[in-house]
């Protein structure tokens, strides 16, 4: 129904490369915020509060992402998916490059953290529009029987970007002195983004528009105000997309961001230990995410997704005791298993959320539901985890927080229909009561 196999593969490759670069930029900031930005942009505060402030600027992007989803989602449903994907990649690449040349607090004072937060906000705008377009292009070009597998490839951009960003920072922090790394070493991966984005743009301009969107365009059925119509006709779908993502985000940022804070701050270990452990788990996700996407084509989106939820809820109680051993093999085991459970949720997530909305509203609906959840989930997770441990003095409080968030995700899955066999050209999806 949706074009040649060759074109489908080209679209999936373009989505994968583009999302990998976008998430490279995004995670580069997140990792630098835990390791560097507190010292460079908030040097007048004690180490704990400096890290919290750096993570707060990181959270600014999560606030911007829903706005990016609204703006770019509107144009994605009105003007087409392809054009928006090119623009979002440019927005993300330019803002990341500018972070790489931004002076620190010692040079320009309070203007430094303000500009840092502003550029992080622009990054959030770009990523907010990117996810929906990349997933939907892969979903709408592919075979109906392989929608879960095809839509999972943009999700692979998350661990791919993380691996690239973390590997570069690990190599630089491991080979440079502390002074050199803080002075200029951390800037190199940010400046490299300017080169990488040109590759992504070259690939994206060569793909064709989504055939399902082209069909909507030919029929004259495009929505005038997509978001307004989504709110009016798809309230249950929005709620499901929102809640289904929250626990996934909280678990992921606990397993990949808070682990760095806990190992370096609470256990006094070298930063390379946590980075290396997460790097191994993320590399494994490159294979696992499309595998779980494919499994969702066979067994359904919700069963595979729920298996990941249950697995993460159980494993989080073993996660911190393994970190407390201070043994790298056991720390790596903790990160790897944690990210396996995340892959089980993340693999079917893209198709599940996108399939909840009709074609003429899919970009706006999927982007809005997905990105708003990021504020409650990913933006706050590392900050809440730090404060919970600071107040209660035990990681058990953090584990309970993760389980509570995963319970919200389970509710989101329960109130949604199984989307695997739905006809994407049909009208509004049935709403579970």
């Amino acid at each position: 129904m949706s074009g040649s196999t060759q074109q489908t593969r080209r679209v999936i490759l373009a989505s994968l490369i583009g999302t990998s670069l976008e998430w490279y930029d995004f995670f580069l900031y997140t990792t630098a915020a835990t390791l560097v930005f507190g010292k460079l942009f908030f040097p007048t505060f004690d180490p704990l509060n400096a890290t919290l402030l750096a993570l707060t600027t990181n959270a600014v992007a999560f606030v911007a992402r829903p706005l990016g989803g609204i703006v770019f989602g509107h144009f994605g449903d009105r003007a087409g998916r392809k054009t928006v994907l090119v623009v979002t990649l440019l927005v993300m690449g330019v803002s990341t490059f500018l972070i790489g040349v931004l002076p620190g607090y010692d040079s320009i004072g309070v203007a430094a953290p303000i500009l840092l937060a502003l550029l992080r906000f622009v990054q959030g705008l770009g990523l907010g529009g990117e996810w929906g377009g990349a997933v939907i292009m892969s979903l709408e070009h592919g075979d109906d029987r392989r929608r879960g597998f095809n839509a999972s490839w943009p999700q692979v951009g998350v661990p791919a970007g993380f691996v690239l960003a973390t590997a570069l920072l690990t190599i630089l922090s491991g080979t440079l002195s502390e002074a050199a790394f803080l002075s200029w070493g951390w800037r190199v991966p940010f400046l490299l983004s300017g080169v990488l984005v040109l590759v992504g743009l070259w690939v994206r301009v060569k793909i064709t528009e989504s055939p399902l969107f082209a069909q909507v365009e030919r029929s004259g059925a495009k929505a005038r105000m997509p978001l307004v119509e989504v709110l009016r006709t798809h309230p249950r779908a929005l709620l499901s997309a929102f809640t289904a993502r929250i626990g996934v985000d909280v678990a992921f940022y606990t397993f990949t961001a808070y682990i760095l804070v806990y190992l370096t701050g609470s256990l006094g270990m070298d930063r390379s230990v946590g980075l290396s452990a997460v790097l191994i788990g993320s590399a494994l996700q490159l294979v696992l995410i499309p595998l779980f996407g494919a499994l969702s084509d066979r067994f359904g989106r919700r069963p595979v997704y729920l298996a990941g939820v249950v697995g993460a809820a159980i494993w989080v109680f073993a996660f911190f005791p393994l970190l407390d051993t201070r043994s790298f093999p056991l720390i790596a085991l903790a990160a790897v298993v944690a990210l396996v459970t995340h892959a089980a949720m993340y693999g079917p997530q893209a198709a599940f959320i996108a399939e909840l909305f009709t074609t003429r509203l899919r970009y706006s609906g999927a982007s809005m539901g997905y990105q708003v959840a990021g504020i409650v989930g990913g933006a706050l997770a590392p900050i809440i985890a730090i404060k919970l441990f600071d107040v209660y003095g035990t990681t058990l409080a953090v584990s309970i927080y993760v389980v509570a968030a995963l319970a919200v995700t389970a509710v989101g899955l329960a109130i949604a229909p199984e989307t695997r066999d739905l006809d994407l050209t049909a009208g509004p999806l049935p709403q579970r009561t």
Side-chain angles (χ1 to χ4, degrees):
M1 90 178 218
S2 51
S4 68
T5 301
Q6 182 180 4
Q7 180 59 29
T8 298
R9 290 174 179 169
R10 186 178 300 163
V11 168
I12 291 173
L13 177 63
S15 296
L16 172 59
I17 291 175
T19 53
S20 296
L21 294 177
E22 295 253 358
W23 283 105
Y24 163 79
D25 292 347
F26 198 78
F27 284 128
L28 195 58
Y29 189 103
T30 302
T31 306
T34 62
L35 301 177
V36 177
F37 288 167
K39 299 174 183 177
L40 290 180
F41 294 97
F42 304 97
T44 60
F45 294 87
D46 64 81
L48 175 62
N49 285 320
T51 299
L52 283 172
L53 287 169
L55 288 171
T56 300
T57 66
N58 180 52
V60 166
F62 290 89
V63 177
R65 281 166 66 174
L67 180 59
I70 292 171
V71 173
F72 291 116
H74 173 85
F75 288 107
D77 284 328
R78 292 287 301 164
R81 308 352 184 170
K82 176 182 173 179
T83 301
V84 171
L85 283 176
V86 171
V87 174
T88 56
L89 191 59
L90 268 174
V91 168
M92 192 69 157
V94 171
S95 58
T96 303
F97 181 84
L98 291 177
I99 290 173
V101 297
L102 184 64
Y105 183 91
D106 291 341
S107 299
I108 60 174
V110 71
I114 292 174
L115 290 173
L116 181 69
L118 178 61
L119 289 172
R120 184 57 168 170
F121 184 85
V122 176
Q123 277 192 325
L125 290 177
L127 190 63
E130 163 71 21
W131 179 85
V135 164
I136 289 167
M137 282 288 277
S138 299
L139 184 86
E140 293 181 345
H141 271 85
D143 186 334
D144 276 351
R145 295 167 298 180
R146 295 165 61 88
R147 292 196 310 241
F149 177 73
N150 290 340
S152 71
W153 282 103
Q155 304 284 77
V156 175
V158 174
F162 188 88
V163 167
L164 183 57
T166 305
L168 282 173
L169 282 175
T170 301
I171 291 171
L172 288 167
S173 65
T175 56
L176 298 175
S177 66
E178 181 78 10
F181 182 71
L182 289 175
S183 175
W184 60 268
W186 70 271
R187 298 181 183 273
V188 174
F190 285 87
L191 298 177
L192 183 60
S193 176
V195 178
L196 295 176
V197 74
L198 296 177
V199 177
L201 289 173
W202 178 76
V203 173
R204 282 198 167 172
V205 296
K206 293 181 174 294
I207 62 175
T208 60
E209 183 55 86
S210 156
L212 288 182
F213 176 80
Q215 181 181 339
V216 168
E217 197 168 34
R218 286 192 301 269
S219 67
K222 289 191 295 185
R224 286 180 56 83
M225 297 295 291
L227 182 60
V228 174
E229 194 168 334
V230 166
L231 292 170
R232 181 172 58 84
T233 63
H234 291 66
R236 183 67 64 89
L238 271 176
L239 179 62
S240 179
F242 172 79
T243 51
R245 188 190 171 204
I246 287 176
V248 183
D249 254 23
V250 169
F252 178 74
Y253 283 97
T254 300
F255 294 149
T256 60
Y258 180 65
I259 184 179
L260 303 179
V261 177
Y262 183 70
L263 288 175
T264 58
S266 301
L267 299 184
M269 300 188 71
D270 188 82
R271 60 175 170 248
S272 63
V273 174
L275 287 172
S276 299
V278 175
L279 192 60
I280 295 170
S282 297
L284 187 61
Q285 282 196 316
L286 298 176
V287 177
L288 290 177
I289 288 175
L291 171 62
F292 285 115
L295 288 174
S296 78
D297 287 326
R298 181 172 182 179
F299 299 107
R301 314 287 184 238
R302 294 194 301 163
V304 176
Y305 207 139
L306 186 60
V309 170
V310 173
I314 294 172
W315 186 251
V316 73
F317 291 103
F319 181 73
F320 288 108
L322 288 172
L323 300 186
D324 289 337
T325 66
R326 301 172 186 262
S327 166
F328 177 73
L330 294 179
I331 291 172
L333 175 65
V336 166
V337 176
L339 290 177
V340 169
T341 66
H342 175 261
M345 297 181 282
Y346 209 58
Q349 183 187 75
F352 172 75
I353 292 177
E355 289 165 344
L356 289 171
F357 303 91
T358 54
T359 299
R360 61 195 296 271
L361 304 172
R362 186 165 294 127
Y363 207 136
S364 296
S367 295
M368 188 62 179
Y370 184 87
Q371 301 300 350
V372 171
I375 300 176
V376 181
L380 299 178
I383 298 171
I384 291 175
I386 289 173
K387 293 304 292 182
L388 284 173
F389 184 76
D390 185 47
V391 171
Y392 294 101
T394 173
T395 55
L396 180 61
V398 180
S399 298
I400 293 173
Y401 162 57
V402 173
V403 170
L406 289 168
V408 173
T409 287
V411 172
L413 295 175
I415 66 175
E418 174 54 60
T419 62
R420 179 189 60 180
D421 299 319
L422 292 171
D423 180 3
L424 297 189
T425 63
L429 305 184
Q431 306 291 306
R432 288 171 65 93
T433 57

